[in-house]
Amino acid sequence: MSVRLVVLVSGSGTNLQALLDAAADDAFGAAVVAVGADRTGIEGLARAERAGVPTFVERVGDHPTRDEWDEGLAGRIAEHKPDLVVSAGFMKILGPRVLGAFPVVNTHPALLPAFPGAHAVRDALAYGVRVTGCTVHLVDAGVDTGPVIAQEAVPVREGDDEESLHERIKTVERRLLVETVGRMAREGWTLTGRTVRLGTGRVAGQAADGPTPGRITK
Ligand code: GRF
């Protein structure tokens, strides 16, 4: 029995690929049951198709309002009954319908709360930091403000540009995302205040009524 993941992408989908590769082994404890996107014609969707995973596209521009897009996206995700949604390079802010219905994990290419937003790598370089990194966090209503689950540092090298630094961060990011999602699936997790604890929930496969990947307490 494995935890059902819906992965959301907007681009090249290398983080998605890392999850697909990890999930090929049953011992990972989670399966990618669908991949959703906010645009067509991206490599992320092609990766899903090659892996035989169902895909869906929900474009903001196809809805009269952002709220209706949020509702549409929540409906498309719900069709696949995920235990956990993973935003892996999904370049849209998720709305209350999606966030109210499913726990969502995001991967971000900076050490939050430093450099939130869509240009984290560029912003870190412009600031002149010597160390940046990546963050896996639960998504809340803010922009990259949700509770941190895991972080790893990546040094900035002399002569780095946005592309070289981002590629080095992404190498770490893919491993951290796979490790973190795998632990959440296998060991469970809880959120208390802003503290995420791994290894505190029921282990996937042990529950009589199906896996319980996470729990939010006050
Ligand atoms: C990742 O660095 C992610 O954190 C950022 O966009 C990148 C997506 O890469 N938001 P990919 O599509 O998984 O290759």
Side-chain angles (χ1 to χ4, degrees), residues 51-76:
V53 173
T55 62
F56 58 87
V57 176
E58 204 63 32
R59 296 193 299 193
V60 173
D62 291 341
H63 296 272
T65 65
R66 191 96 185 182
D67 256 10
E68 282 158 274
W69 171 73
D70 176 32
E71 200 170 330
L73 182 63
R76 301 299 291 276

Side-chain angles (χ1 to χ4, degrees), residues 17-150:
Q17 189 67 55
L19 288 167
L20 289 168
D21 293 348
D25 182 350
D26 284 348
F28 183 59
V32 180
V33 296
V35 172
D38 63 331
R39 61 198 75 185
T40 54
I42 53 171
E43 182 61 16
L45 287 172
R47 288 177 192 276
E49 280 152 22
R50 285 199 294 271
V53 173
T55 62
F56 58 87
V57 176
E58 204 63 32
R59 296 193 299 193
V60 173
D62 291 341
H63 296 272
T65 65
R66 191 96 185 182
D67 256 10
E68 282 158 274
W69 171 73
D70 176 32
E71 200 170 330
L73 182 63
R76 301 299 291 276
I77 295 171
E79 286 170 19
H80 301 280
K81 300 187 176 14
D83 300 300
L84 190 63
V85 174
V86 182
S87 153
F90 188 65
M91 302 308 283
K92 291 277 182 308
I93 306 298
L94 292 166
R97 302 288 192 326
V98 170
L99 296 179
F102 319 98
V104 184
V105 165
N106 180 49
T107 175
H108 182 75
L111 292 174
L112 293 170
F115 311 117
H119 306 292
V121 180
R122 189 189 309 169
D123 294 346
L125 267 179
Y127 194 91
V129 293
R130 298 307 168 107
V131 175
T132 182
C134 52
T135 302
V136 179
H137 65 96
L138 287 172
V139 178
D140 65 11
V143 178
D144 301 321
T145 53
V148 171
I149 311 170

Side-chain angles (χ1 to χ4, degrees), residues 28 177-189 198-199 213:
F28 183 59
L177 181 67
V178 165
E179 280 172 15
T180 306
V181 169
R183 284 198 62 193
M184 291 173 85
R186 293 187 302 274
E187 303 169 26
W189 56 276
L198 300 179

